[in-house]
Coordinates of all heavy atoms in Angstrom, one line a residue:
Chain W
V146 N -12.0 6.3 -9.3 CA -12.3 4.8 -9.4 C -12.7 4.3 -8.1 O -13.6 3.4 -8.0 CB -11.0 4.1 -9.9 CG1 -11.2 2.6 -9.8 CG2 -10.7 4.5 -11.3
G147 N -12.1 4.8 -7.0 CA -12.5 4.3 -5.7 C -13.8 4.7 -5.1 O -14.4 4.0 -4.4
Q148 N -14.2 5.9 -5.4 CA -15.2 6.6 -4.6 C -16.5 6.9 -5.4 O -17.5 7.2 -4.8 CB -14.7 7.8 -4.0 CG -13.5 7.6 -3.1 CD -13.7 6.7 -1.9 OE1 -14.8 6.6 -1.4 NE2 -12.6 6.1 -1.5
R149 N -16.5 6.9 -6.7 CA -17.7 7.4 -7.4 C -18.4 6.4 -8.2 O -17.8 5.4 -8.6 CB -17.2 8.5 -8.4 CG -16.3 9.5 -7.7 CD -15.7 10.5 -8.6 NE -16.4 11.7 -8.6 CZ -15.9 12.8 -9.3 NH1 -14.8 12.7 -10.0 NH2 -16.6 13.9 -9.2
P150 N -19.7 6.6 -8.4 CA -20.5 5.7 -9.2 C -20.2 5.9 -10.6 O -19.6 6.8 -11.1 CB -21.9 6.1 -8.8 CG -21.8 7.6 -8.4 CD -20.5 7.8 -7.8
A151 N -20.7 4.9 -11.4 CA -20.4 4.7 -12.8 C -20.6 6.0 -13.6 O -19.8 6.4 -14.4 CB -21.1 3.6 -13.4
Y152 N -21.8 6.6 -13.5 CA -22.1 7.7 -14.2 C -21.1 8.9 -14.1 O -20.7 9.5 -15.0 CB -23.6 8.2 -13.8 CG -24.2 9.2 -14.7 CD1 -24.7 8.8 -16.0 CD2 -24.4 10.5 -14.4 CE1 -25.4 9.7 -16.8 CE2 -25.0 11.5 -15.2 CZ -25.5 11.0 -16.4 OH -26.1 11.9 -17.2
E153 N -20.7 9.1 -12.8 CA -19.8 10.1 -12.6 C -18.4 9.8 -13.1 O -17.6 10.6 -13.5 CB -19.7 10.5 -11.1 CG -21.0 11.1 -10.6 CD -20.9 11.3 -9.1 OE1 -19.8 11.4 -8.5 OE2 -22.0 11.4 -8.5
K154 N -18.1 8.5 -13.0 CA -16.7 8.0 -13.5 C -16.6 8.4 -14.9 O -15.6 8.9 -15.4 CB -16.6 6.5 -13.3 CG -16.3 6.1 -11.9 CD -16.1 4.6 -11.8 CE -15.9 4.1 -10.4 NZ -15.7 2.6 -10.3
V155 N -17.6 8.0 -15.7 CA -17.5 8.2 -17.1 C -17.4 9.7 -17.5 O -16.7 10.2 -18.3 CB -18.6 7.5 -17.9 CG1 -18.6 7.8 -19.3 CG2 -18.5 6.0 -17.6
G156 N -18.3 10.4 -16.7 CA -18.3 11.9 -16.9 C -16.9 12.5 -16.6 O -16.4 13.3 -17.4
W157 N -16.3 12.0 -15.5 CA -15.0 12.5 -15.1 C -14.0 12.2 -16.2 O -13.2 13.1 -16.6 CB -14.6 11.9 -13.8 CG -13.2 12.1 -13.4 CD1 -12.7 13.3 -12.7 CD2 -12.1 11.3 -13.7 NE1 -11.3 13.1 -12.6 CE2 -10.9 12.0 -13.1 CE3 -11.9 10.1 -14.3 CZ2 -9.7 11.4 -13.3 CZ3 -10.6 9.6 -14.4 CH2 -9.5 10.2 -13.8
A158 N -14.0 11.0 -16.7 CA -13.0 10.6 -17.7 C -13.1 11.5 -19.0 O -12.2 12.0 -19.4 CB -13.2 9.2 -18.1
V159 N -14.3 11.7 -19.4 CA -14.5 12.5 -20.6 C -14.2 13.9 -20.4 O -13.6 14.6 -21.2 CB -16.0 12.3 -21.2 CG1 -16.2 13.3 -22.3 CG2 -16.2 10.9 -21.6
H160 N -14.6 14.5 -19.2 CA -14.3 15.8 -18.9 C -12.7 16.0 -18.9 O -12.2 17.0 -19.5 CB -14.8 16.1 -17.5 CG -14.5 17.5 -17.0 ND1 -15.2 18.6 -17.4 CD2 -13.6 18.0 -16.1 CE1 -14.7 19.7 -16.9 NE2 -13.7 19.3 -16.1
N161 N -12.0 15.1 -18.3 CA -10.5 15.2 -18.2 C -9.9 15.1 -19.6 O -9.0 15.9 -20.0 CB -10.1 14.0 -17.5 CG -9.3 14.3 -16.3 OD1 -8.2 14.7 -16.4 ND2 -10.0 14.2 -15.2
L162 N -10.4 14.2 -20.4 CA -9.9 14.0 -21.7 C -10.1 15.3 -22.6 O -9.3 15.7 -23.3 CB -10.6 12.8 -22.4 CG -10.1 11.5 -21.8 CD1 -11.1 10.4 -22.2 CD2 -8.7 11.1 -22.2
Y163 N -11.3 15.8 -22.4 CA -11.7 17.0 -23.2 C -10.7 18.2 -22.8 O -10.2 18.9 -23.7 CB -13.1 17.4 -22.8 CG -13.5 18.6 -23.7 CD1 -14.1 18.5 -25.0 CD2 -13.4 19.9 -23.2 CE1 -14.5 19.6 -25.6 CE2 -13.8 21.0 -23.9 CZ -14.4 20.9 -25.1 OH -14.8 21.9 -25.8
Q164 N -10.5 18.3 -21.5 CA -9.6 19.4 -21.0 C -8.2 19.2 -21.6 O -7.5 20.2 -22.0 CB -9.5 19.4 -19.5 CG -10.8 19.7 -18.8 CD -11.4 21.1 -19.1 OE1 -10.6 22.0 -19.5 NE2 -12.7 21.2 -18.9
R165 N -7.7 18.0 -21.5 CA -6.4 17.8 -22.0 C -6.3 18.0 -23.5 O -5.3 18.6 -24.0 CB -6.0 16.3 -21.7 CG -5.8 16.0 -20.2 CD -5.3 14.6 -20.0 NE -4.1 14.3 -20.6 CZ -3.6 13.1 -20.9 NH1 -4.4 12.1 -20.8 NH2 -2.4 12.9 -21.4
A166 N -7.3 17.5 -24.2 CA -7.3 17.7 -25.7 C -7.3 19.2 -26.0 O -6.6 19.7 -26.9 CB -8.4 17.0 -26.3
A167 N -8.1 20.0 -25.2 CA -8.3 21.4 -25.5 C -6.9 22.1 -25.2 O -6.5 23.0 -26.0 CB -9.3 22.0 -24.6
N168 N -6.2 21.7 -24.2 CA -4.9 22.3 -23.9 C -3.9 22.0 -25.0 O -3.0 22.8 -25.2 CB -4.4 21.6 -22.6 CG -4.2 22.6 -21.5 OD1 -3.8 23.7 -21.8 ND2 -4.5 22.2 -20.3
L169 N -4.2 21.0 -25.7 CA -3.2 20.7 -26.8 C -3.7 21.2 -28.2 O -3.1 21.0 -29.2 CB -3.2 19.1 -27.0 CG -2.4 18.5 -25.8 CD1 -2.6 17.0 -25.8 CD2 -0.9 18.7 -25.9
G170 N -4.8 22.0 -28.1 CA -5.3 22.5 -29.4 C -5.9 21.5 -30.3 O -5.9 21.6 -31.5

Side-chain angles (χ1 to χ4, degrees):
Chain W
V146 171
Q148 307 296 333
R149 310 169 101 172
Y152 193 73
E153 295 179 19
K154 283 185 185 180
V155 175
W157 171 85
V159 172
H160 179 77
N161 241 282
L162 291 161
Y163 183 89
Q164 298 297 340
R165 292 180 63 204
N168 242 321
L169 291 164

